[in-house]
Structure formats: structure tokens, C-alpha cells
């Protein structure tokens, strides 16, 4: 039985769409069971446990080298570095308590540094101490907090780097005073994971709420100053209305909505246009496509290819529509 329907879920996920989603990798199946069905908690947990042993999750774990790295580096310009794989394993829902996750994270914590991957002054930093860019540090801290690592130093740094408009920008060190959607979302994901993992920090919660307002005041893809749609990202040229997965550091409207849903933000009229955009992309079969892929090679293929129906985007879009339906 699927969850409640609403005007944002017309038609609600059909049996065929749910069957298609469930005919997939464990990393998708367990999240479909949890978020789109009434499956009992035990069934969800059993399916989640398979992420470490089967499919994409197991294949990614198997690529870790004896020195704790993936791709031989803490971070690189591709999508196969230690940071990128841990970020992806978090999204797959690898259970942090699993023996496989603990073994992998112990290797990273004890052996991986930023030597050759970041500014020279950060070369000796352990992986979870991060480097200097808030975009990169946000992704490191999000994965670290999720997997139970000590990222307090990174969180403290990110809190100090929040800009007056509520967001973050990697170019702040070069004098920029306007926040970046890309960097802001990377940092917000880190703050949310850390808030869940540790004791309450008023300063963290305040910063996170300010960052969420940065997105909401701009209706997730408009300029605050003029109200016009931001058609292209200044840095990458990416179209924020075209949905990718994995997104890596890139922002798009679906990723922004997914964060708000995950953070438990109550949807209001400021998300209406973004929700309507997501709903408009459902095809005649009730699925969403992988509209774009960012340059770079993912070490393990996780979708059917650009332009084809995407299980990941369909799952993410259906969750967002379900969240939007709950507004009063």
C-alpha cells in the first residue's frame, strides 16, 4: 500500500512504478520501502543491511585500497576519490553501524591525509580535519558526521565562514560577499548530519536555519534582487532545472527540495514553483529521467544513462512530492 496521495501526487505512484523501483539495487529498494510504502521496519532494516554486501554499495566498498583511499586521494577532480565515494555511500544509505562501514571508515580515519590533494598547509591534515574550501569541507563533514566520525573542527570552521546573507561561498576568501547555492547546500547537508549525530548546538541550528532561509527567500532558483530565474550556474554553466544523480557538488532544484524535505522544513508558498517544476517532469509512465550527467567517471554505474528513466530521480521526486503534500 502506498502512502497518502495529494494534488502533488496525481496520479500517485502506480504499482508498476513501485515494482520498477523495487526491481533494483538494495540501496534504492530499502529507501523505497521506507519512504513510499507501508513496509514494516524490520523489512526495511533487512533490505538496508544488504547495501554493504550486494550491488553498488558492496562494489564501492571493494574499491577501497589498503591505504584507506579510493582513487588514491582524499579528493580529486573526478568522482572516484575518498571524499566522493564516502559522500555517495551516505546517499546509498550504507548503515554506519555495519562491520563493513566501520572497517572502511577506520582505514580512512587512521591513514588518509590531504597530502597532494589540497593547499600545502593542509597536507598533514587527517581526512576528517578537511582542507580550506567550504564546499569540499561540507561534503567531508556530511559524510563524516553520518558515519560517526569526529568532524567538530570542520563544523566550527564552517560556522565561522557563514556569510551575512545566510549562505556560504568558496570564493569568500577572494572577497565574495554573496553566497553560492552550490556551496550553501553542501554545508547545509553537513550541518544537518552533525546536528543529528551529536548533542544540540544552538549556534549550529541557528546557522542551519539561516542557510535554509537563503534558499527559501530565493524560491530555490531565483535571484533575490530581481526575482528572475537563475538559468545557469555561473561557475559550471549547469542548468538548475535539469536533474542529475549523483549531483556531487552541483546544486539543482530537486537537490534543494530534497534537503528541505530531509531537514523537516514545513513547505510553504516559497517552494510552490519548485514543486510544480518537479511534478511537470513526470513522464507518461510516472517516472523521472536522468536529465544530465556531470563530466567525470563514476567508478560504479548507478543509473541507466542520461536521457533514460532514472530510478534515483524517480525515488527522489516522489519523496519530495509526498513531503509537499503534507503542507497545511
Amino acid at each position: 500500500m502506498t502512502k497518502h496521495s495529494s494534488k502533488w501526487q496525481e496520479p500517485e505512484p502506480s504499482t508498476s512504478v513501485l515494482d520498477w523501483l523495487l526491481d533494483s539495487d538494495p540501496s534504492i529498494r530499502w529507501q523505497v520501502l521506507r519512504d513510499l510504502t507501508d513496509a514494516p521496519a524490520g523489512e526495511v532494516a533487512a533490505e538496508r543491511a544488504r547495501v554493504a554486501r550486494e550491488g553498488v554499495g558492496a562494489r564501492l566498498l571493494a574499491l577501497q585500497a589498503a591505504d584507506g583511499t579510493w582513487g588514491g586521494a582524499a579528493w580529486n577532480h573526478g568522482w572516484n576519490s575518498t571524499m566522493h565515494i564516502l559522500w555517495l555511500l551516505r546517499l546509498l544509505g550504507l548503515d554506519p553501524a555495519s562491520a563493513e562501514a566501520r572497517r572502511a571508515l577506520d582505514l580512512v580515519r587512521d591513514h588518509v591525509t590531504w597530502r597532494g590533494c589540497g593547499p600545502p598547509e593542509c597536507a598533514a591534515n587527517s581526512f576528517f580535519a578537511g582542507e580550506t574550501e567550504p564546499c569540499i569541507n561540507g561534503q567531508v563533514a556530511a559524510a563524516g558526521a553520518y558515519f560517526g566520525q569526529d568532524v567538530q573542527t570542520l563544523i566550527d570552521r564552517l560556522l565561522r565562514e557563514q556569510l551575512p546573507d545566510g549562505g556560504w561561498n568558496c570564493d569568500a576568501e577572494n572577497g565574495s560577499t554573496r553566497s553560492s547555492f552550490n556551496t550553501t547546500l553542501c554545508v547545509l547537508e553537513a550541518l544537518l548530519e552533525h546536528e543529528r549525530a551529536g548533542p544540540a548546538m544552538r549556534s549550529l541550528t541557528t546557522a542551519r536555519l539561516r542557510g535554509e532561509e537563503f534558499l527559501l527567500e530565493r524560491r530555490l532558483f531565483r535571484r533575490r534582487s530581481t526575482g528572475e530565474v537563475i538559468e545557469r550556474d555561473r561557475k559550471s554553466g549547469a542548468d538548475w532545472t535539469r536533474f542529475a544523480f549523483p549531483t556531487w557538488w552541483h546544486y539543482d532544484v530537486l537537490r534543494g527540495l530534497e534537503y528541505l524535505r530531509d531537514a523537516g522544513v514545513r513547505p510553504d508558498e516559497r517552494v510552490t514553483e519548485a514543486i510544480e517544476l518537479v511534478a511537470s517532469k513526470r513522464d507518461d509512465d510516472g517516472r523521472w529521467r536522468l536529465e544530465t550527467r556531470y563530466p567525470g567517471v563514476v567508478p560504479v554505474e548507478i543509473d541507466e544513462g542520461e536521457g533514460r528513466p532514472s530510478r534515483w530521480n524517480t525515488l527522489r521526486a516522489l519523496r519530495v512530492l509526498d513531503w509537499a503534500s503534507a503542507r497545511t
Side-chain angles (χ1 to χ4, degrees):
M1 179 186 297
T2 60
K3 290 186 176 182
H4 63 275
S5 62
S6 75
K7 69 175 184 177
W8 299 112
Q9 292 180 288
E10 295 295 344
E12 69 175 3
S14 65
T15 300
S16 62
V17 170
L18 287 175
D19 287 345
W20 174 69
L21 288 172
L22 291 168
D23 182 22
S24 60
D25 191 79
S27 59
I28 296 176
R29 286 199 299 267
W30 86 266
Q31 296 185 59
V32 171
L33 291 171
R34 179 191 64 182
D35 299 329
L36 301 179
T37 80
D38 295 324
E43 182 180 352
V44 175
E47 191 62 42
R48 186 185 188 188
R50 297 174 64 185
V51 174
R53 304 190 300 268
E54 303 175 25
V56 172
R59 291 165 66 193
L60 288 172
L61 287 169
L63 293 174
Q64 187 180 27
D67 65 1
T69 66
W70 280 268
W75 173 89
N76 61 26
H77 286 286
W79 311 127
N80 67 337
S81 76
T82 304
M83 186 200 78
H84 292 106
I85 301 308
L86 291 180
W87 182 90
L88 188 53
L89 287 170
R90 175 178 70 90
L91 293 187
L92 299 183
L94 175 66
D95 186 350
S98 67
E100 294 85 353
R102 293 198 305 271
R103 182 167 56 249
L105 270 294
D106 285 350
L107 282 172
V108 174
R109 184 191 63 240
D110 294 342
H111 300 290
V112 180
T113 71
W114 288 87
R115 188 170 304 281
C117 305
E121 65 268 25
C122 299
N125 285 7
S126 63
F127 179 78
F128 291 110
E131 49 119 275
T132 60
E133 290 196 11
C135 178
I136 292 174
N137 285 340
Q139 293 170 84
V140 171
Y146 175 82
F147 284 112
Q149 302 301 305
D150 180 4
V151 291
Q152 188 63 57
T153 298
L154 270 185
I155 293 297
D156 290 341
R157 177 177 184 135
L158 292 169
L159 292 178
R160 292 194 302 268
E161 292 173 337
Q162 189 169 29
L163 295 173
D165 64 7
W168 287 262
N169 193 331
C170 287
D171 288 331
E173 63 181 5
N174 298 320
S176 177
T177 59
R178 290 191 299 175
S179 293
S180 155
F181 280 71
N182 300 307
T183 305
T184 297
L185 197 53
C186 288
V187 174
L188 282 175
E189 289 169 348
L191 298 185
L192 181 62
E193 290 289 4
H194 190 69
E195 193 168 2
R196 287 171 170 163
M201 289 177 57
R202 181 174 297 179
S203 59
L204 186 152
T205 303
T206 299
R208 178 174 61 80
L209 294 176
R210 286 182 60 213
E212 291 169 3
E213 281 299 307
F214 172 85
L215 298 178
L216 290 166
E217 287 173 350
R218 291 155 180 80
R219 299 180 180 266
L220 283 86
F221 65 130
R222 289 187 174 274
R223 301 187 191 282
R224 186 184 181 196
S225 57
T226 65
E228 66 180 328
V229 171
I230 302 172
E231 295 183 354
R232 297 278 175 182
D233 181 69
R234 285 199 304 268
K235 185 173 184 178
S236 68
D239 182 343
W240 291 350
T241 68
R242 294 176 61 79
F243 304 150
F245 189 87
T247 56
W248 309 117
W249 60 267
H250 297 275
Y251 176 85
D252 65 40
V253 171
L254 180 55
R255 184 181 177 189
L257 288 169
E258 268 248 285
Y259 166 79
L260 295 175
R261 177 200 69 84
D262 194 32
V265 176
R266 174 174 287 188
D268 59 31
E269 72 282 353
R270 293 176 294 179
V271 304
T272 297
E273 187 178 18
I275 290 292
E276 289 174 346
L277 173 67
V278 172
S280 73
K281 291 177 178 283
R282 191 198 312 246
D283 68 18
D284 292 340
D285 294 323
R287 307 174 187 186
W288 279 257
R289 296 183 179 273
L290 183 67
E291 295 185 287
T292 189
R293 297 182 73 167
Y294 298 113
V297 178
V298 183
V300 174
E301 198 59 62
I302 60 175
D303 228 320
E304 298 298 318
E306 188 173 349
R308 296 180 59 83
S310 162
R311 286 179 172 85
W312 279 106
N313 278 356
T314 297
L315 166 63
R316 296 164 65 222
L318 288 172
R319 286 195 294 215
V320 161
L321 296 184
D322 192 61
W323 163 75
S325 74
R327 64 180 178 174
T328 57

